[in-house]
């Protein structure tokens, strides 16, 4: 492998790791991620944790000064065990993956309803983030009830929005946004 020949390390951003690993099209496991990377982190705040990320070092060369750098930058928590307790609980009975899979399922339900109405997407997504292209009148109407932001202007009358479900999303909210989208104006 070239990175090993050049003495390079592979770091993976895992902010949405749970959602990626539970996506239907995914064939990687957490063990695979661990075996393929030198350092990765397990996102917590996007999947039910109050704060923090869990950093996993597979290569001891990478972490030799990590604690020192954290202290020097003021990032070492005094009560760091509290952070660990969150992950301990999230990984009990696969709760971490259950929550991520639920968010992916709800996003898929919303995406399907958007397709049924006839709207397009900026890109296809298999996780909890979808990017529908909607008329700005529909965006304005949805913005009155739902929190999201415009991702990209497409043209004068349409834009792509970033719509993200989460561990805290419930079926009632999903049904409500689907109903509002179905009751929106006919696609242009």
């Amino acid at each position: 492998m070239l990175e090993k020949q050049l003495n390079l390390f592979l770091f993976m951003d895992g902010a949405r790791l749970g959602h990626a690993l539970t996506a239907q099209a995914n064939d990687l496991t957490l063990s695979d991620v661990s075996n393929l990377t030198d350092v990765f982190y397990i996102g917590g705040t996007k999947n039910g944790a109050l704060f923090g990320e869990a950093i996993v070092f597979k290569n001891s060369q990478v972490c030799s000064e990590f604690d020192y750098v954290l202290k020097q930058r003021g990032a070492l928590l005094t009560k760091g065990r509290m952070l660990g307790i969150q992950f301990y609980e999230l990984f009990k009975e696969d709760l971490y993956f259950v929550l991520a899979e639920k968010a992916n399922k709800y996003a898929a339900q919303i995406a399907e309803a958007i397709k049924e109405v006839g709207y397009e997407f900026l890109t296809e997504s298999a996780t909890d983030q979808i990017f529908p292209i909607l008329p700005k009148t529909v965006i304005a109407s949805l913005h009155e009830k739902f929190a999201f932001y415009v991702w990209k202007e497409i043209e004068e009358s349409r834009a792509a929005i970033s719509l993200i479900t989460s561990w805290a999303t419930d079926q009632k909210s999903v049904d409500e946004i689907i109903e509002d989208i179905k009751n929106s104006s006919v696609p242009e």
Side-chain angles (χ1 to χ4, degrees):
M1 296 173 89
L2 186 59
E3 66 271 7
K4 298 301 178 200
Q5 293 171 359
L6 298 175
N7 201 28
L8 298 174
F9 300 114
L10 180 60
F11 166 78
M12 189 182 90
D13 176 335
R16 296 187 174 279
L17 184 61
H19 303 97
L21 292 177
T22 59
Q24 285 189 343
N26 173 58
D27 63 354
L28 288 176
T29 66
L30 187 56
S31 290
D32 294 331
V33 171
S34 178
N35 290 331
L36 295 169
T37 61
D38 295 293
V39 180
F40 68 99
Y41 70 87
I42 301 170
T45 55
K46 290 180 171 60
N47 205 29
L50 181 60
F51 61 98
E53 319 297 331
I55 300 172
V56 180
F57 290 97
K58 288 289 297 179
N59 184 326
S60 60
Q61 290 177 299
V62 180
C63 69
S64 63
E65 300 288 323
F66 187 73
D67 290 347
Y68 176 76
V69 172
L70 278 180
K71 280 183 181 180
Q72 293 301 307
R73 303 293 185 267
L76 188 63
L77 293 174
T78 304
K79 306 295 182 201
R81 67 183 176 277
M82 302 310 266
L83 179 64
I85 290 169
Q86 295 178 111
F87 285 95
Y88 178 78
E89 291 300 323
L90 281 169
F91 280 99
K92 269 188 188 175
E93 298 177 16
D94 285 335
L95 179 61
Y96 184 80
F97 298 108
V98 169
L99 294 173
E101 191 170 30
K102 179 184 89 156
N104 288 349
K105 179 184 93 172
Y106 287 157
Q109 288 176 14
I110 296 168
E112 187 58 35
I114 291 169
K115 288 175 188 174
E116 286 175 9
V117 173
Y119 296 126
E120 300 173 330
F121 288 81
L122 185 63
T123 183
E124 287 296 316
S125 175
T127 66
D128 65 325
Q129 301 179 89
I130 58 175
F131 301 91
I133 299 171
L134 303 173
K136 290 184 179 177
T137 55
V138 174
I139 292 171
S141 174
L142 292 174
H143 236 219
E144 292 175 14
K145 292 170 64 176
F146 304 99
F148 60 87
Y149 61 93
V150 173
W151 182 262
K152 180 180 180 180
E153 297 286 330
I154 301 299
E155 54 195 32
E156 191 174 321
S157 64
R158 298 183 319 144
I161 65 169
S162 171
L163 192 58
I164 304 171
T165 55
S166 80
W167 61 274
T169 302
D170 61 13
Q171 187 67 55
K172 181 180 179 222
S173 298
V174 171
D175 293 342
E176 191 174 336
I177 196 167
I178 287 172
E179 189 64 29
D180 287 359
I181 290 168
K182 286 182 177 180
N183 291 333
S184 66
S185 60
V186 179
E188 298 168 2

